[in-house]
Amino acid sequence: SCTAHSSAVRKSAGRGVKSDSSPHPRGVFLATQHVPRTDIDDTKRLFAEEVERLRLLLEASSTLLGSLSREDVLPKVLDLARRTLTADAYALWEYEPESGVWRVASHSGLSDEYVAAATEAIQGNTAVVSFEAPIVAEDIATTDWLTPAHREAHAAEGTQSMLAVGLAYSGRILGTLAFYFREHRRFTEAEKGAASLLANLAAAAIGTSELYEAQRRLTEDHRLVAEASELLASSLDYETTLSNVATLAVPRFADWCAIDIVEDNGSVRRLTVAHVDPEKVRWAKELAEKYPPDPKALYGVPNVIRSGRPELVSEIPDDLLVQATESRPELLEVLHELGLKSSMCVPLVARDRTLGAITFISAESGRRYGEDDLATAQDLAHRAAAAVDNALLFRNAETAQRQAQESLA
């Protein structure tokens, strides 16, 4: 640990070496006759570097822990990493436990090509690596727990050595903080200790910001549901009302929102699609007309309407997009361009009858939906379904009344 290392350094720096020829019986002043000057200088330098690292971390702790925005925390962590341990590049990897996906949340000194290649390579890594201690790769080319594709990515980047430390918070792994070196490097205990201390501080800051963000988002979601409820109760014209609700959800809850309704004959009609960019809305409508969903599809709107069960995809994998476009491969490139990240599709159910479905999609915002988001979506869908059902009941009652009057005329 850093404390143990500091203690050892202090002891070695102050210990005297006895010399028979010394006029001073304890030999304190002539210790340098037996210890090379360079060794003493190196010891003092290492001790000074460690003290400086600890000072930096102590000074930065209040600022870092006081940052409640994740977007504010990440660059501060990388900046502190640069000042704590000199390396050629740095990266904050984040881990999504629900999907098992690793991604680079922020980086410095790495090429986009490496980030893309390493992100893809790490997904296929089945090696078990402990996060309880620093992860050391002093010779990346011979590190067997890295996949061959990952080692190739490092080779292309020119990285020879790497030091990574786990970001653990509240019993779970948030990700890792990685230091990259383009020369072979042997890491000292002081360096590994400093990296671990920084990782603990970074994990606490990131974890706290995520809790704050989750609470803020939950409050905002509750406000969204309340506003949507007012909209739904304002009119019996459910088609217009649902379109307004979809618009309300974008971009506060989703980047895309689509609502599909089941017609009397059992067919499914796209009622509305919302996005902040009107041009993208027009494009999405054209795509929906050109590539209507397969009614027998095992996922998406057809499956949700058919089964009456919600569908949550926290991380949209590429193989799902490939599967969805298997019969229409030209559509795959279009979906890639949209940059779809996460999705939810929830049924509109009233009186045990599925009236349609609402789809929420995260894209450019990078939001990943979880169980709390799904609960909000289901709450919203439940209220929307009740509004649609009431509107249909009223419409049917009006129709029946008009028919009765016509029959009496």
Side-chain angles (χ1 to χ4, degrees), residues 15-31:
R15 185 182 298 122
V17 179
K18 186 176 180 180
S19 170
D20 292 339
S21 59
S22 171
H24 306 282
R26 297 183 66 184
V28 173
F29 300 105
L30 294 182

Side-chain angles (χ1 to χ4, degrees), residues 1-14 38-56 84 188 190-191 194:
S1 68
C2 288
T3 303
H5 179 81
S6 299
S7 175
V9 170
R10 287 195 293 271
K11 288 178 181 178
S12 65
T38 53
D39 289 350
I40 294 178
D41 290 343
D42 286 344
T43 300
K44 289 182 177 179
R45 177 180 56 79
L46 291 173
F47 177 66
E49 288 178 355
E50 186 171 356
V51 170
E52 177 63 16
R53 289 192 189 105
L54 293 175
R55 185 189 66 78
L56 279 172
T84 302
T188 66
E191 289 172 333

Side-chain angles (χ1 to χ4, degrees), residues 54-64 83:
L54 293 175
R55 185 189 66 78
L56 279 172
L57 293 173
L58 182 62
E59 289 181 354
S61 60
S62 59
T63 302
L64 204 55
R83 292 188 290 153

